[in-house]
Amino acid sequence: MRRKLLLGNWKMNKLASEAKEFAVASRDLAKKAEANNIDLGVAPTYLSLATVKENAAKTMIVAAQNVHFNDHGAFTGEVSIPMLKEFGIDWVLIGHSERRTYDNETNEKCNAKIKALIANNMVPVYCVGETLEQFEANQTKAVVGEQVRVGLKELTAEDVKNLVVAYEPVWSIGTGKNASTEIAEDVCKFIRDVLREMFGDVADEIRVLYGGSVKPENIKAYLSCPDVDGGLVGGASLKIDSYEALLNNIL
Ligand code: PEP
């Protein structure tokens, strides 16, 4: 049985003081989520990770939005796995479409990061999804299949058992344009089929999330799809009231 997962991606939003306020306000929600067998989390900016970790409930997942695959060295502007671990951070988003678009995050680079995270017993949330152009050219499964195969190459079934994959069609992120629940289920099921082909039955344990303009009003419909195990939510996770409504609507 896969536990539901609701993960907020704050992107480049919130001052550390605002992140702290949210973390304190989220304590009761984390309790409610735990009592209902739901994993709840947020991915703040690097500068807010420590304060969110310190001020949120112990059960709250606190994820970084990126990491470098080397432990240390001459990589100006980067942050490494040991640096995150020192703050108790063990979840990281990898390959978000904004990083793929603006920071040249390739499938190969994602693979190096995912391997480094897994070697350090951390949980990668591997984001995949097609652009509008690819969607319109009917290339969704070719693109997403390649992202999954290359991003997860040279890993074993044991390696991927805690991995999370997030299907986020690029054309639906921050645009208010939702993929229908049929599309979300079809692609999330396809991802699980590729995972099964690569790793066998462990595919049934891997959580596959949907992301892209998820809101309190539509989250329940997505999570009613058999292969959608949760949501990766940007805009609607920023305000505590809306975050609470997302949670309440999937209890
Ligand atoms: C995201 O940032 O991963 C995302 C899905 O954003 P939004 O919910 O705002 O579309």
Side-chain angles (χ1 to χ4, degrees), residues 9 11 96 98 168 172-175 211-214 232-236:
N9 172 18
K11 312 190 187 201
H96 190 279
E98 287 148 18
E168 298 204 301
S172 73
I173 298 180
T175 58
S213 298
V214 173
L232 180 56
V233 187

Side-chain angles (χ1 to χ4, degrees), residues 41-81:
V42 287
T45 65
Y46 283 138
L47 287 173
S48 295
L49 286 171
T51 192
V52 174
K53 189 76 190 166
E54 260 170 48
N55 288 287
K58 289 277 165 288
T59 52
M60 186 81 160
I61 293 166
V62 184
Q65 297 176 14
N66 182 35
V67 76
H68 198 274
F69 48 82
N70 276 302
D71 278 0
H72 54 84
F75 302 101
T76 302
E78 297 286 348
V79 166
S80 74
I81 289 174

